[in-house]
Amino acid sequence: MRFLLTDEQREFGRSLDALLTAADTPAVLRAWAAGDHGPGRALWGRLADAGVFALAVPEAYGGVGPLPVEAAVACVELGRHAVPGPVAETLAAGVLLAGAGGPVAEEWLPGIASGAVVVSLTLEGYGPYAPDADAADAVFTVTGDELRLAPGPGEPSASADPARRLFRPEPGGAPVAKGPAIRAAARAAGDTAAFATAALALGCGEELLRATVAYVKQRTQFGVPVGSFQAVKHRLADTLLGLEFARPLLYGAAVELASEVSRPGAGTGSGSGSAAGSPGAGAAVAAAKVTAGEAGYAAARTALQLHGAIGYTEELDLAWWLRRARPLRDAWGTPSACRARVLAG
């Protein structure tokens, strides 16, 4: 199968690129890491106006989704520009709450679609930490067949990325929904979070490669650009191949998720079906996640080596992308966990 984005999907990506290029995301990242979420929330609002967060919310709740292919296009661009905030978690919450249905969906989903609400969450099987919970308007947790709203973000934990802080949500909180539908919705939400994180990792790797290629064209040694050295060319070529091999897996997973959405009963909140809930779709997402995550991390290693000592400096904007690559690789499914799921699927 030959998969190509439509003209509208490509234009959507270009419009997000233009929006984010004008937003000075390194300054937004520095403010976010310092605890000033104002610039990040303002950028979040502009992304919502462009329709990004509505992509995971059904039309019945003010969204336009689920639209996994368009979500992949958006998340690749957000990853390329290192947009701060719980992007994958908010998109996953749209799927989770839509699957839960009822009052909790009616209360929160319109705000997610409009960008007024930022959400973080934890799910069983994916670790206890909620990224950027201190900046979220709600932190949801799922245990078994119970969906709870955490009473607070909890205490922060160490994170390799200072602009992606980790929190263990405060325990307790009354259940806002329960039943078999919650288990199915949580599986779908976990796949959505992994899928979105794979797209973010791919975009992060693309920017690391772009910046590194530009740098080796400028840096000289023995009177010539270091980019002319064969060893450097081979390293960059290997990095490019890794990213390009990840791209069709990402969009292949998007097609699998889209086919799940189109199944009768999917996304109704009845528990009879939910996007990304099947083993086949889950295996496709896991394949995309491990490949994109490893490719993004390899791009970070290449960028760090070829930038030399300057790659370690705080002043270099690229440091924010370097710090993000490994957490994205491991979030919502480590490489070993994803490989095991691919084999099982």
Side-chain angles (χ1 to χ4, degrees), residues 235-296:
R235 186 68 185 267
L236 292 170
D238 288 342
T239 302
L240 175 62
L241 283 174
L243 294 168
E244 289 304 315
F245 271 103
R247 192 183 315 280
L249 288 175
L250 176 69
Y251 286 109
V255 172
E256 288 284 348
L257 297 182
S259 67
E260 284 296 301
V261 172
S262 65
R263 286 194 306 115
T268 63
S270 64
S272 59
S274 186
S278 78
V285 169
K289 175 65 172 57
V290 66
T291 309
E294 294 280 32

Side-chain angles (χ1 to χ4, degrees), residues 48 51 67 101-102 112 118 134-136 187 193 236 263 276 301 315:
L67 295 175
I112 290 175
V118 175
D134 60 330
R187 288 194 298 270
L236 292 170
R263 286 194 306 115
R301 293 171 64 88
E315 289 76 14

Side-chain angles (χ1 to χ4, degrees), residues 7 17 23 27 34 59 82 86 113 129 146 181 195 217 237 254 265 287 302 311:
D7 291 341
D17 179 42
E59 292 183 15
Y129 298 113
E146 288 190 343
F195 171 71
K217 288 180 179 179
T302 296

Side-chain angles (χ1 to χ4, degrees), residues 12 50 66 71 125 146 287 338:
F12 179 48
E146 288 190 343
C338 288

Side-chain angles (χ1 to χ4, degrees), residues 41 86 89-90 93 97 107-108 112 116-122 130-141 148-153:
R41 290 295 295 254
E89 292 72 25
T90 297
L97 298 178
E107 179 179 0
W108 292 101
I112 290 175
V117 172
V118 175
V119 177
S120 192
L121 79 163
T122 64
D132 298 306
D134 60 330
D137 300 293
V139 180
F140 290 100
T141 64
R148 295 175 181 266
L149 180 61

Side-chain angles (χ1 to χ4, degrees), residues 42-72:
L43 177 57
W44 193 279
R46 293 198 291 275
L47 291 170
D49 290 341
V52 170
F53 302 108
L55 295 172
V57 176
E59 292 183 15
Y61 299 101
V64 296
L67 295 175
V69 176
E70 286 76 6

